[in-house]
Amino acid sequence: MVTIAEVARHAGVAPSTVSYVLTGKRSISADTKSRVRESIRSLGYQPHVHTRGLGITRTNVIGLVLPLRAGTYVPAVMRFVTAAVTTARRYDMDLLLMTADDGLPALRRAANSALVDGFLVLDVEKEDARLPLLRQLSIPSVLIGRPAAARGLTCVDLDFEAAGAKCVEHLADLGHRSIGFLGAPSAVYRRTTGFAHRAMTGFSAAAMRRGVAATALSVEEDHDSVLRATEVLVRAHPSMTALVVHNEAALGGITACLRAAGRHVPGDIAVVAICPDELAERMSPPLTSVRLPAEELGRHAVELLVAKLDGRQPPPLVLLPPKLSRRASTPDPVDHAPAAVRQ
Amino acid sequence: MVTIAEVARHAGVAPSTVSYVLTGKRSISADTKSRVRESIRSLGYQPHVHTRGLGITRTNVIGLVLPLRAGTYVPAVMRFVTAAVTTARRYDMDLLLMTADDGLPALRRAANSALVDGFLVLDVEKEDARLPLLRQLSIPSVLIGRPAAARGLTCVDLDFEAAGAKCVEHLADLGHRSIGFLGAPSAVYRRTTGFAHRAMTGFSAAAMRRGVAATALSVEEDHDSVLRATEVLVRAHPSMTALVVHNEAALGGITACLRAAGRHVPGDIAVVAICPDELAERMSPPLTSVRLPAEELGRHAVELLVAKLDGRQPPPLVLLPPKLSRRASTPDPVDHAPAAVRQ
DNA sequence: CTGAAAGCGCTAACAT
DNA sequence: ATGTTAGCGCTTTCAG
């Protein structure tokens, strides 16, 4: 291993001089400087990561904090990783995937040892335990998600409130006057996960604005629960002609469950999903959906972090606007469709 | 910042004693141990990774070398990453995704600066420029792939030779006597990529053993090339009743192309693919396939690396046996099928 | 402008 | 079973 001492010997100077050439913290004669540079090159010297007093030298590594808790759906997380790693490459940076269940010690370790230049944090909860630490660390971080107290932090997220609203707008424009909402498992709402809550809020508020009847229900992950929820909705609200689904697990069986409850998609009931585009496209019939833009979120997150590392002051919050793609599950109203019923 | 010295003072012992309590590298009296532990807790001590003598202490980070060259199909690579990151977590290790196009400087940097404990190298070519460096580095590495000179290195790969053979065996068992092979683009064979070559070799050798007529063709990635290749095969070998396809890009259009050449799958011609299972399942008709087990390769690779880090001596080469899943594209022979023709 | 030398927090010989 | 001490590679005083 080639050390600073060897470089110094090779260049005929003191170790400290080499250090100063590297850090630029004091002026060095052009002659010495070039001699040291030459030695560095010819010996192939590489600074040793574990001995940088203050993070003066960048590591060009971004710490991506993604706890692999039980129940984490890894492929979904990987969509973020793919986007982040691709974007990071454009800035000549690498990604350290930090998957420890309890992030705190790992975060502290990585920050203190100057292993990474900054953090990207996934899976952010409303009252996230990691926030105080992140604020206090010397290296910057960007959150994917939207905690309650974002003060002093940078966040990227989909505007889930607008997403919920957009679903309602689309359906109301098509003439629907009674709309159901199938949300995440109730545990998600009980935890302070935020995004689920915000989508539901957006949905309800938009329904009020448009004078549309709205009924929201949380749905567990098992098939039975989906079946029961749809039946409840259909029975209690026979005039309901549209459904918004914000639950990827439930999505797979939704058409079949509605059919079991006596409703045909899209003839009897229209469906809009909030989910990744690929998923919506692959359903039969293909579902109109507001997309969950993992790719864009990942890309923006990296770009925000790079901006902070460069000393720029990026906006504290980037909220991606929702984009609705219309597919077969929300056709134009036809004459023989069940009459829309005013609330 | 709480240091080991402060903990020592607080517990009334020497710094080294604290260190030994932490590392467990020598026996400490139960009394002292608990006193030190108590001090650590009450002072909130966090080890500072910044100063570990020689790379004796591990960083618990694995460097995953995956050059994101132009043309790299990221989702395919991510299948390895997913498997690797999940397995690494089980050993309490993290993954550093090193995506620089030219791996050499990055490899050297990571190794010299003790950023990672070892490397996992993807995308290994037969004469890989990184091999000499990897051999000479002080940290271990595991290759996914199979270079020509594997001496001193550890490799994991699918046994592509057996995979090619397995396709032939299956088809020969069904009575086919003339089989075609559509391989990777010719550039892949010209480059020393190995796996393509080995699959083809296995195919040809098995055909010889079984006394089956074999015709191999390389296929470019564009649709036209697929069309042309199938036509050539069908025309030149009218008695051909089966096809082995080792080319993911060509797979999508293969059924249509055969149809255009006047052959129906599986009525007129049977098809076996070497590709990920998901892909084969989603085709219509679903294709019999030998699966490309990215998940297992990733898992094995991490496990081999961990073994080396623990000072164990893992086998230098793990060759996963091919697994053939039969699907609709290779039905049992029926009476009205074209008569099998002996060579 | 440059060297010598004292640490940084920690580990591992070498002592007892 | 524990303490003492000499480094690890690098930065940063302190002296010229």
Side-chain angles (χ1 to χ4, degrees):
Chain A
M1 155 141 299
V2 35
T3 73
I4 237 181
E6 291 180 57
V7 175
R9 205 165 338 118
H10 186 269
V13 297
S16 53
T17 304
V18 178
S19 174
Y20 285 122
V21 170
L22 256 7
T23 61
K25 287 206 171 173
R26 89 182 175 190
S27 41
I28 306 277
S29 73
D31 180 45
T32 314
K33 205 183 290 189
S34 74
R35 210 146 28 92
V36 169
R37 288 250 168 75
E38 177 49 31
S39 299
I40 288 180
R41 262 199 335 108
S42 71
L43 296 184
Y45 166 77
Q46 290 294 143
H48 199 282
V49 175
H50 287 317
T51 35
R52 272 175 312 204
L54 218 50
I56 288 157
T57 319
R58 290 191 10 183
T59 60
N60 276 345
V61 175
I62 295 174
L64 183 53
V65 186
L66 64 163
L68 286 187
R69 305 197 186 92
T72 303
Y73 185 54
V74 183
V77 172
M78 279 301 158
R79 294 177 60 213
F80 286 99
V81 178
T82 304
V85 81
T86 314
T87 311
R89 175 89 320 261
R90 283 215 296 280
Y91 295 98
D92 202 38
M93 303 197 75
D94 284 330
L95 235 54
L96 175 62
L97 268 38
M98 304 175 41
T99 60
D101 300 37
D102 176 12
L104 287 187
L107 280 180
R108 218 182 318 244
R109 222 179 80 100
N112 284 342
S113 57
L115 245 177
V116 301
D117 293 337
F119 290 116
L120 244 51
V121 185
L122 283 186
D123 226 7
V124 175
E125 303 194 349
K126 207 166 167 191
E127 311 290 344
D128 201 294
R130 297 166 296 188
L131 263 39
L133 176 59
L134 287 174
R135 252 188 278 266
Q136 148 204 345
L137 288 178
S138 54
I139 62 176
S141 49
V142 171
L143 316 185
I144 298 185
R146 217 179 145 191
R151 189 189 48 75
L153 296 167
T154 308
C155 306
V156 208
D157 208 354
L158 173 65
D159 190 340
F160 278 98
E161 214 153 343
K166 194 144 200 169
C167 297
V168 173
E169 299 293 346
H170 174 62
L171 291 168
D173 287 347
L174 291 178
H176 296 277
R177 286 292 165 266
S178 174
I179 308 180
F181 182 93
L182 292 184
S186 53
V188 173
Y189 295 95
R190 255 172 292 149
R191 276 204 334 241
T192 53
T193 314
F195 79 93
H197 184 256
R198 273 153 40 219
M200 202 266 283
T201 307
F203 167 84
S204 305
M208 295 298 279
R209 282 200 301 276
R210 295 291 297 247
V212 165
T215 317
L217 229 59
S218 72
V219 184
E220 307 309 309
E221 277 159 332
D222 60 306
H223 188 261
D224 260 18
S225 176
V226 184
L227 203 60
R228 236 175 310 118
T230 49
E231 265 170 8
V232 166
L233 276 186
V234 165
R235 196 132 331 150
H237 307 269
S239 66
M240 201 178 75
T241 58
L243 198 55
V244 173
V245 184
H246 185 201
N247 183 322
E248 288 191 34
L251 218 48
I254 194 70
T255 312
C257 289
L258 283 167
R259 169 71 60 98
R263 303 293 165 113
H264 179 254
V265 179
D268 304 321
I269 190 158
V271 172
V272 179
I274 304 179
C275 71
D277 257 11
E278 305 92 81
L279 223 170
E281 271 165 10
R282 249 190 276 131
M283 305 279 301
S284 93
L287 302 182
T288 294
S289 71
V290 168
R291 59 195 268 261
L292 227 51
E295 283 73 17
E296 264 153 283
L297 289 173
R299 182 166 55 75
H300 272 98
V302 170
E303 277 164 1
L304 285 172
L305 187 59
V306 168
K308 288 177 94 168
L309 288 172
D310 287 352
R312 302 204 300 277
Q313 291 268 332
L317 173 63
V318 172
L319 264 190
L320 299 189
K323 221 190 90 188
L324 185 141
S325 299
R326 189 161 177 201
R327 301 200 181 80
S329 65
T330 59
D332 285 325
V334 286
D335 294 339
H336 63 266
V341 177
R342 278 236 163 248
Q343 187 177 14
Chain B
M1 156 139 298
V2 184
T3 75
I4 234 178
E6 292 179 55
V7 175
R9 210 172 325 125
H10 186 269
V13 296
S16 55
T17 304
V18 178
S19 173
Y20 285 123
V21 169
L22 256 8
T23 61
K25 289 207 172 174
R26 94 180 172 190
S27 43
I28 306 277
S29 72
D31 179 48
T32 316
K33 206 184 288 188
S34 73
R35 213 146 27 92
V36 169
R37 288 250 169 75
E38 175 50 32
S39 299
I40 288 180
R41 263 197 335 105
S42 72
L43 296 184
Y45 167 77
Q46 288 292 141
H48 198 281
V49 199
H50 166 268
T51 33
R52 278 174 310 195
L54 215 52
I56 285 156
T57 317
R58 295 170 25 169
T59 60
N60 276 345
V61 175
I62 296 174
L64 183 54
V65 186
L66 65 165
L68 285 187
R69 306 197 185 90
T72 303
Y73 185 53
V74 183
V77 173
M78 280 301 158
R79 294 178 60 211
F80 287 99
V81 178
T82 304
V85 81
T86 315
T87 311
R89 174 90 321 263
R90 283 215 295 280
Y91 296 97
D92 202 39
M93 304 197 75
D94 285 330
L95 234 55
L96 175 62
L97 267 38
M98 306 176 39
T99 60
D101 300 37
D102 177 11
L104 288 188
L107 279 180
R108 218 184 312 250
R109 221 181 83 98
N112 287 340
S113 60
L115 238 179
V116 302
D117 293 336
F119 291 116
L120 244 52
V121 185
L122 283 185
D123 226 7
V124 175
E125 302 193 351
K126 207 164 167 192
E127 310 291 344
D128 200 292
R130 297 166 297 187
L131 263 39
L133 176 58
L134 286 175
R135 251 188 278 265
Q136 145 203 350
L137 288 178
S138 55
I139 62 176
S141 49
V142 170
L143 316 185
I144 298 185
R146 216 178 147 191
R151 190 187 49 74
L153 296 167
T154 308
C155 307
V156 209
D157 208 354
L158 173 65
D159 189 341
F160 278 98
E161 213 154 342
K166 195 144 200 167
C167 297
V168 173
E169 300 292 346
H170 175 63
L171 291 168
D173 287 348
L174 291 178
H176 296 277
R177 287 292 166 267
S178 175
I179 307 179
F181 182 93
L182 293 185
S186 53
V188 173
Y189 295 94
R190 253 172 298 160
R191 271 203 337 240
T192 53
T193 313
F195 78 93
H197 183 256
R198 272 153 41 218
M200 202 267 282
T201 307
F203 166 85
S204 305
M208 295 298 279
R209 281 199 301 276
R210 296 291 298 246
V212 164
T215 317
L217 229 60
S218 71
V219 183
E220 307 309 310
E221 278 158 331
D222 59 307
H223 189 263
D224 259 19
S225 176
V226 185
L227 204 59
R228 234 173 312 118
T230 49
E231 265 171 7
V232 166
L233 277 186
V234 165
R235 195 131 332 151
H237 307 269
S239 64
M240 200 178 76
T241 58
L243 199 54
V244 173
V245 184
H246 185 202
N247 184 322
E248 287 190 35
L251 219 48
I254 195 71
T255 312
C257 288
L258 283 167
R259 169 71 60 98
R263 302 294 165 111
H264 180 251
V265 179
D268 304 322
I269 191 159
V271 173
V272 179
I274 303 178
C275 71
D277 257 11
E278 306 91 83
L279 223 171
E281 270 164 12
R282 249 191 276 130
M283 303 282 299
S284 93
L287 301 182
T288 293
S289 72
V290 168
R291 57 196 270 263
L292 228 50
E295 283 74 18
E296 265 152 284
L297 289 174
R299 181 165 56 75
H300 272 97
V302 170
E303 278 164 0
L304 285 173
L305 188 58
V306 169
K308 290 178 93 168
L309 288 172
D310 287 352
R312 302 203 301 276
Q313 290 268 332
L317 173 62
V318 172
L319 264 191
L320 298 189
K323 222 190 89 187
L324 184 140
S325 298
R326 190 165 175 196
R327 300 200 182 80
S329 65
T330 59
D332 285 324
V334 287
D335 294 341
H336 63 266
V341 178
R342 278 233 164 248
Q343 190 178 13

